[in-house]
Amino acid sequence: MPGIEKLPIEETLEDSPQTRSLLGVFEEDTVAISNYCSQLYQAMNRIYDAQNELSAATHLTSRLLKEYDKQRFPLGGDDEVMSSTLQQFAKVIDELSSCHAVLSTQLADAMMFPITQFKERELKEILTLKEVFQIASDDHDTAINRYSRLSKRRDNDKMRAEAVEDVYTSRKKQHQTMMHYFCSLNTLQYKKKMALLEPLLGYMQAQISFFKLGSENLTQQWEDFLGTIGTSVQNVRREMEEEAGQMQQTIQQMEMSCDPLYAPCDPDPVHSPVCRNLTRKQGYLYIRNKTGLVSSSWERQYFFTQGGNLMQQGRGEVAGGLVTDLDNCSVMAVDSDDRRFCFQVTSFDGKKVVTLQAESRKDCEEWIATINNISRRIYLSENAEELAARVNQSALEAVTPSPSFQQRHESMRPSSKARAGRASSISSVGSEPSPALSVLSLDALVAPDTPIQFDIISPVSEETAGQNKAAAQSGRRSNPFGESGDGTAEDSEDSILHQLFIVRFLGSMEVKAAESADVISETMRQILAARAIHNIFRMTESHLLVTCDCLKLIDPQTQVTRLRFPLSSVLQFASHQDNKRLFGFLLQSTSGRGESRAVCYIFESNNDGEKICDSIGLAQQIAFHSEMDRQAEEKKKEQDKAKEKQQEELSKQRQIEKDLEEQSRLIAASSRPANPPAADGQFLVLNQSQSEDSDAGEDSKKKGESEA
């Protein structure tokens, strides 16, 4: 028979995308075999059912023929000839029924049993191994990701030992499972032939045995043919047993030899030295991809060199993609704050820089040496390894690790006076200032000795303790997020403008030239430079709510207001000239000592920063017109009050004049004598009512004079 394709068990430890692609072909073939065997099983099962039905029907026919004598037909008489003939037929059919029963038994044993065993046992075993291999592969990916995320700064022996043990266990399990899975798939290529030939062989042999009594010549011909098929099946079985023995031996040898390679740490340099004469290399590496302005992520890919190019290929991809051209490139080991064993490849023109991470220091040095050899075009020569050995010294210089950022800062650290004058300017960063940052801090637009704040600190957090204490004394429950819970509506609910934007806080710092138009762009430059120098990638995401009263930074998860800026305190706002996603605004605030200061806040948005600035400008215009309308309304109310007061004064004056006239009339009436004097010269005494009227008139006169 023709040769059978096999999966290479020797390449299971490397687990390259090419091996996975070939595995996918075998898995597709397994699915096709399973579908075809299911259809063939259904067809053969129909034959078996039909044969059982035929045997049962033949037996029933024979029984009915034997019972003919017992029948009582109303119009029929005793027919001895017919009865004896039917008895002969019954005897022959009974013998034929026995042959059909034997044929059914032979079909069950020789035809249905092999294909049922192949369908229910072999194919299900393949599916089970596939699931176990997938679980082992996922566990290995999880373990290697955890090991790669071990921090170099916080080096913990216990955590590193646990990660190494986890990688060792998962890699060993994946390797062993993959080898057994490959072995089963290779064995399946033999078993599928037997699964197709053995049922057919059994079917034909059963049929030949059935027809043996009637056709000896035909039986002899079929026996010769079936004998040949039987010999072929035996040969296939023998080849399968030999191949299975060889694969089991290979698995045992690889399990013994590959045990030290399961651990991701560096092997013994005596037994496994670094090879610096390579011109071709492949394996899994982590590549650093930028996901934002200052943020990045790491992705595990399969890398390989092809000529003078560095290629990468992901799992499931048919072909690899170009990463960078290695001709005349430069490569060096670099220190990363969150990763180990990193190296950097820079293209010959310096426009493209690729940062990669290897699994161990040995792997990192071999990659650097290989890329150095390729960059010198050694791979184009006939004796590439000999030429690479001659330039080994230059490769050793390339793999020397570069100084860390801390060493570079210490070597370039300014004098103690300059450091003391600027120590507080980076208090929020938590590291020594570099010369670049010191130069930035001396800019005329930025207030001296001001810190750069890279995270949002809500002012309500400083008052929470006092609020909670006061609330406990008063017996009232307080809001732990610093917001008032008195039941009053927020001041922004009556605003006619509500616009929400998704922003990420980059930083804030105090400035001294609040009137300058370049203060926001200069603040952007200094905050971005400080983030780049100190490798600060984390940003706080918030929702910026623009209303006619204020600007609010809201937590997107808890909907709690982090910061609130009155719109009247916003002095100016602008977006970046080149990067339109960057914007900032300048606020006028008052410190605890009553001093006025200006603080600039810088953000990155998902939208255009000019749209946010336009929204803030629109809010200020609406607030300005609202303030003008309010002042006009208040002025009108004051004028109405003045008019009402004037009317009241006028009515009072008229009432006074009327009272004076009445008093004058009463005084005039009281001054006239009511009774003439008597003849004897004596006066008459006034009655009581006249006396009271006179007194009331005089009192009214005095009161009127005093009021006048």
Side-chain angles (χ1 to χ4, degrees):
M1 287 192 176
I4 296 177
E5 295 290 336
K6 295 185 297 183
L7 283 168
I9 299 179
E10 296 80 5
E11 298 181 6
T12 53
L13 179 60
E14 184 178 0
D15 190 19
S16 64
Q18 290 80 3
T19 306
R20 286 295 182 102
S21 299
L22 185 58
L23 175 61
V25 175
F26 274 72
E27 290 177 345
E28 292 178 0
D29 183 73
T30 304
V31 174
I33 292 173
S34 178
N35 295 333
Y36 180 78
C37 286
S38 298
Q39 298 176 5
L40 186 61
Y41 172 82
Q42 294 176 1
M44 291 185 175
N45 194 36
R46 291 181 61 184
I47 295 175
Y48 177 68
D49 293 338
Q51 182 60 41
N52 289 333
E53 183 66 22
L54 180 60
S55 177
T58 306
H59 179 71
L60 179 60
T61 303
S62 174
R63 184 172 59 85
L64 291 175
L65 291 176
K66 290 179 181 179
E67 294 176 354
Y68 180 81
D69 292 338
K70 298 178 182 181
Q71 301 297 323
R72 297 292 184 262
F73 298 103
L75 299 178
D78 294 336
D79 191 353
E80 295 294 337
V81 177
M82 185 65 180
S83 177
S84 62
T85 304
L86 291 179
Q87 289 297 325
Q88 290 294 329
F89 273 106
K91 184 179 180 180
V92 174
I93 293 176
D94 194 15
E95 294 178 357
L96 187 60
S97 175
S98 300
C99 293
H100 279 293
V102 174
L103 177 60
S104 298
T105 304
Q106 291 178 350
L107 290 178
D109 295 337
M111 182 180 70
M112 296 305 300
F113 180 75
I115 194 170
T116 303
Q117 286 290 100
F118 178 75
K119 178 177 177 293
E120 298 295 332
R121 187 178 67 181
E122 306 296 339
L123 293 179
K124 285 188 177 181
E125 181 182 0
I126 294 294
L127 294 178
T128 303
L129 285 175
K130 180 180 179 181
E131 294 177 358
V132 173
F133 165 68
Q134 188 63 40
I135 294 173
S137 180
D138 295 340
D139 293 342
H140 173 256
D141 292 342
T142 303
I144 197 68
N145 287 334
R146 177 188 172 193
Y147 172 79
S148 300
R149 289 195 300 268
L150 288 176
S151 177
K152 187 183 68 177
R153 290 184 174 181
R154 298 178 298 178
D155 194 3
N156 191 330
D157 295 337
K158 182 178 179 181
M159 293 179 61
R160 185 172 65 253
E162 291 178 354
V164 170
E165 180 65 21
D166 195 6
V167 173
Y168 170 82
T169 305
S170 60
R171 182 170 291 176
K172 183 176 182 179
K173 180 180 178 182
Q174 181 195 10
H175 186 209
Q176 294 176 349
T177 306
M178 195 173 186
M179 287 191 294
H180 289 287
Y181 184 37
F182 279 23
C183 179
S184 298
L185 289 176
N186 291 337
T187 308
L188 183 64
Q189 303 304 313
Y190 297 94
K191 291 182 178 180
K192 71 177 181 180
K193 295 186 177 182
M194 293 188 300
L196 296 178
L197 295 178
E198 285 184 350
L200 296 177
L201 179 62
Y203 174 76
M204 295 305 299
Q205 287 179 346
Q207 293 293 339
I208 289 175
S209 298
F210 177 75
F211 293 110
K212 209 168 195 182
L213 298 176
S215 180
E216 293 293 335
N217 296 330
L218 183 61
T219 303
Q220 185 65 34
Q221 294 177 2
W222 279 105
E223 285 182 352
D224 295 339
F225 173 74
L226 295 178
T228 304
I229 297 298
T231 303
S232 177
V233 171
Q234 293 299 326
N235 293 333
V236 172
R237 184 183 298 276
R238 186 168 52 255
E239 292 179 7
M240 182 198 70
E241 292 176 355
E242 293 177 356
E243 186 65 29
Q246 293 178 1
M247 289 188 294
Q248 290 295 334
Q249 186 178 2
T250 304
I251 290 175
Q252 294 177 1
Q253 293 176 355
M254 293 198 66
E255 285 180 351
M256 296 177 59
S257 61
C258 297
D259 189 76
L261 302 179
Y262 293 142
C265 56
D266 291 324
D268 188 1
V270 178
H271 298 88
S272 180
V274 177
C275 183
R276 306 185 187 278
N277 305 332
L278 300 175
T279 57
R280 295 178 59 188
K281 188 170 176 59
Q282 62 279 340
Y284 281 98
L285 297 173
Y286 278 87
I287 183 171
R288 185 175 184 177
N289 299 321
K290 292 193 67 176
T291 57
L293 183 64
V294 292
S295 60
S296 61
S297 64
W298 294 86
E299 183 181 6
R300 190 168 185 254
Q301 294 283 343
Y302 186 82
F303 288 82
F304 60 95
T305 59
Q306 186 175 20
N309 299 323
L310 179 63
M311 313 289 288
Q312 71 174 1
Q313 184 177 0
R315 289 186 179 178
E317 296 181 359
V318 179
L322 177 64
V323 178
T324 185
D325 185 7
L326 299 180
D327 288 340
N328 298 323
C329 72
S330 61
V331 58
M332 63 181 298
V334 295
D335 271 354
S336 178
D337 289 344
D338 56 344
R339 297 273 175 156
R340 302 178 301 166
F341 314 132
C342 296
F343 61 97
Q344 184 173 284
V345 182
T346 306
S347 60
F348 70 97
D349 55 359
K351 294 182 178 180
K352 187 169 185 179
V353 179
V354 181
T355 303
L356 302 169
Q357 181 197 11
E359 189 174 279
S360 61
R361 187 174 302 279
K362 173 180 176 295
D363 196 23
C364 177
E365 294 181 3
E366 287 185 351
W367 271 104
I368 292 176
T370 304
I371 295 176
N372 265 320
N373 295 335
I374 295 175
S375 67
R376 294 176 174 83
R377 300 177 180 268
I378 298 177
Y379 66 95
L380 298 176
S381 60
E382 295 181 358
N383 298 324
E385 294 186 0
E386 295 181 0
L387 184 58
R390 290 198 295 267
V391 296
N392 189 21
Q393 186 62 32
S394 61
L396 288 175
E397 295 175 359
V399 301
T400 303
S402 61
S404 62
F405 291 110
Q406 182 179 0
Q407 293 172 349
R408 275 182 276 176
H409 291 170
E410 291 177 355
S411 62
M412 301 173 63
R413 188 175 299 170
S415 61
S416 59
K417 294 182 179 180
R419 185 167 63 252
R422 190 54 185 162
S424 61
S425 65
I426 56 171
S427 59
S428 62
V429 178
S431 62
E432 293 294 334
S434 65
L437 188 58
S438 300
V439 173
L440 291 175
S441 64
L442 298 178
D443 197 281
L445 297 176
V446 179
D449 299 332
T450 179
I452 300 177
Q453 188 66 45
F454 294 108
D455 200 358
I456 296 177
I457 299 179
S458 177
V460 300
S461 62
E462 301 175 358
E463 305 171 0
T464 304
Q467 291 178 357
N468 294 339
K469 184 177 180 181
Q473 294 175 357
S474 62
R476 180 173 57 87
R477 186 177 180 181
S478 62
N479 191 335
F481 296 102
E483 294 183 341
S484 175
D486 297 334
T488 59
E490 294 184 356
D491 53 355
S492 61
E493 290 183 355
D494 298 333
S495 176
I496 62 176
L497 178 65
H498 284 83
Q499 290 189 351
L500 194 67
F501 304 95
I502 299 177
V503 298
R504 286 174 292 277
F505 182 70
L506 294 179
S508 64
M509 60 186 303
E510 185 178 351
V511 298
K512 64 179 182 180
E515 297 81 7
S516 176
D518 299 329
V519 63
I520 295 180
S521 60
E522 179 63 24
T523 305
M524 289 180 183
R525 186 179 68 85
Q526 293 206 23
I527 289 178
L528 293 178
R531 278 182 169 268
I533 290 174
H534 298 283
N535 294 323
I536 301 176
F537 304 114
R538 183 174 60 86
M539 294 183 290
T540 304
E541 184 171 308
S542 304
H543 289 173
L544 177 63
L545 178 63
V546 181
T547 65
C548 298
D549 301 320
C550 62
L551 305 178
K552 285 186 177 181
L553 287 178
I554 302 174
D555 191 330
Q557 297 180 355
T558 61
Q559 299 301 316
V560 173
T561 301
R562 290 172 171 168
L563 288 177
R564 182 183 182 277
F565 309 111
L567 198 62
S568 58
S569 64
V570 179
L571 300 180
Q572 58 173 306
F573 46 87
S575 61
H576 198 275
Q577 296 180 356
D578 300 327
N579 189 356
K580 298 300 182 181
R581 295 173 60 186
L582 296 179
F583 75 97
F585 50 81
L586 192 63
L587 295 177
Q588 186 74 29
S589 61
T590 304
S591 62
R593 294 175 295 180
E595 299 177 356
S596 178
R597 64 192 185 98
V599 180
C600 186
Y601 291 83
I602 306 300
F603 298 88
E604 180 188 19
S605 66
N606 294 339
N607 310 98
D608 193 353
E610 293 183 355
K611 294 182 179 179
I612 302 179
C613 294
D614 294 340
S615 177
I616 299 176
L618 178 61
Q620 286 187 341
Q621 292 181 4
I622 295 175
F624 174 75
H625 290 298
S626 300
E627 181 67 20
M628 295 297 294
D629 295 341
R630 186 185 64 79
Q631 292 180 2
E633 187 176 355
E634 290 181 354
K635 186 176 181 181
K636 184 178 179 181
K637 288 182 179 180
E638 291 178 357
Q639 292 177 356
D640 293 341
K641 288 182 180 180
K643 288 181 181 180
E644 291 178 359
K645 187 175 182 181
Q646 187 176 3
Q647 291 291 338
E648 290 178 357
E649 293 290 338
L650 185 60
S651 62
K652 286 182 179 180
Q653 185 68 24
R654 289 176 180 176
Q655 185 67 29
I656 291 173
E657 292 177 356
K658 185 176 179 180
D659 292 342
L660 288 176
E661 291 179 359
E662 184 67 23
Q663 291 177 3
S664 300
R665 186 180 63 78
L666 293 175
I667 293 172
S670 63
S671 63
R672 293 195 300 269
N675 296 318
D680 55 0
Q682 295 180 352
F683 291 92
L684 296 176
V685 179
L686 297 175
N687 55 19
Q688 185 177 1
S689 62
Q690 290 177 348
S691 177
E692 290 176 356
D693 291 341
S694 177
D695 294 339
E698 295 203 2
D699 292 339
S700 299
K701 183 177 180 182
K702 290 180 181 180
K703 182 178 180 181
E705 290 177 357
S706 64
E707 289 180 356

